[in-house]
Amino acid sequence: GRFRRALTTTTADVDCPLCSCTGSFVRLEGPLGFGYSKCPACELIFMDRASLPSPEDEKSRYATHRNGPQHPGYVRFLEQAIAPALPHLDRSMRGLDFGCGPAPTLSVLLAREGLRCEDYDPFFGPSKLPPGRFHFIFATEVFEHLFSPSRELRLICDLLRPNGLLVVMTELWTTCRAFSEWYYARDHTHVSFYNRRTIESICRLYGFSQLPSGNGRVVLLQKA
C-alpha cells in the first residue's frame, strides 16, 4: 500500500543537508510523488536532489503569491511571527527580513512598530545582503525552501550579532505516515521540512537557544 512505499529504509549514499549525517535514511513519498529522505539524526525531511525545482520554477512560483501590505490576510499571517518577537526587540536594533519576496511586507509592519528592518531576497531583490550585522533576523516561510539549510544557517549565524534573535516561521511535520498526504508538501518549492527534534539539532549545531513563542508555527532562536 501507499504507506508501505512511503516508509521504507535505505542505506543509499545520502548526506543530510542540515547536519551532514550519513546512514540509514527513511524513504518517504510526498503527495506530488516526489521522493524524500528523513535524516536519522536530526529528522530533517528533504527532497531528492534530482527532484529539486529549477531557479526559474522557484521564481515563477513565488511570483504567484498574493503577498504585500495591501493584503490583510497576508498581514495577519506575518503578525503571527511578529507578535512573539516584539517583547525581545527595541527601537535601537537593526533587523533583516531574510527572503522578503517580491512584495516586502514584514519590514513595513515592523516600521509601524518603530523598528528598522532591511530587506533581502536572492530572487526579487535587494539581492545583495546589506553590510554589517543584525540584532534580529526574520525568515518567514523561507526555511522550507532551502536546498542546503546548513549553508544558509551558517550565513545567518555570521549575520547575527551575539544574543541576536532569529525568527523562523515554517510548518513543522509531525508523523511520517501523514507526510504522503500533507498539504504543506504539495508545493514543489517546499523541499526541507523540520520537526521539534530538528529545531533542537539546529540549536545544538549552530549555537542557539530556543525561546517560547506560543505559536507552533513560529520558532524563536537566540544566538549565544
Side-chain angles (χ1 to χ4, degrees):
R2 186 180 184 91
F3 286 142
R4 284 198 297 275
R5 291 199 307 274
L7 295 171
T8 57
T9 302
T10 179
T11 57
D13 185 16
V14 180
D15 292 347
C16 175
L18 175 60
C19 72
S20 301
C21 171
T22 58
S24 297
F25 287 73
V26 172
R27 294 287 297 158
L28 300 166
E29 181 184 318
L32 298 179
F34 296 120
Y36 302 80
S37 297
K38 179 175 78 70
C39 177
C42 71
E43 297 194 358
L44 180 80
I45 293 177
F46 55 97
M47 184 181 284
D48 292 348
R49 185 160 296 278
S51 300
L52 292 172
S54 69
E56 294 76 19
D57 289 342
E58 285 190 276
K59 187 172 183 178
S60 63
R61 170 62 179 164
Y62 304 152
T64 66
H65 293 170
R66 291 177 58 81
N67 296 345
Q70 74 275 22
H71 295 293
Y74 184 57
V75 168
R76 288 192 297 271
F77 184 72
L78 290 182
E79 285 173 346
Q80 294 181 81
I82 294 173
L86 281 180
H88 306 281
L89 308 179
D90 66 56
R91 296 186 177 194
S92 69
M93 295 179 174
R94 177 181 181 233
L96 178 70
D97 183 0
F98 189 88
C100 62
T105 304
L106 188 130
S107 57
V108 174
L109 300 179
L110 290 175
R112 295 173 185 172
E113 302 288 340
L115 296 165
R116 181 164 58 115
C117 182
E118 299 178 52
D119 297 313
Y120 164 71
D121 194 285
F123 286 103
F124 299 100
S127 58
K128 289 187 177 181
L129 284 162
R133 302 174 82 188
F134 300 90
H135 298 90
F136 62 89
I137 294 176
F138 280 77
T140 57
E141 298 298 301
V142 167
F143 269 46
E144 64 275 11
H145 298 282
L146 300 181
F147 292 9
S148 177
S150 62
R151 182 183 61 213
E152 304 302 332
L153 276 161
R154 287 194 296 269
L155 173 60
I156 286 171
C157 286
D158 288 342
L159 292 170
L160 267 180
R161 291 173 175 266
N163 300 312
L165 185 70
L166 171 61
V167 184
V168 177
M169 189 177 187
T170 190
E171 187 151 341
L172 304 181
W173 70 268
T174 53
T175 68
C176 289
R177 289 194 176 276
F179 187 78
S180 64
E181 305 292 341
W182 193 24
Y183 87 95
Y184 206 58
R186 289 187 178 276
D187 187 330
H188 184 202
T189 65
H190 289 187
V191 300
S192 295
F193 305 93
Y194 312 75
N195 68 3
R196 291 297 173 193
R197 184 173 174 185
T198 319
I199 301 302
E200 292 170 2
S201 296
I202 288 173
C203 290
R204 184 177 67 254
L205 292 168
Y206 298 96
F208 289 101
S209 57
Q210 189 170 355
L211 305 175
S213 75
N215 186 318
R217 198 181 187 120
V218 179
V219 179
L220 300 183
L221 301 177
Q222 187 169 40
K223 184 179 175 182

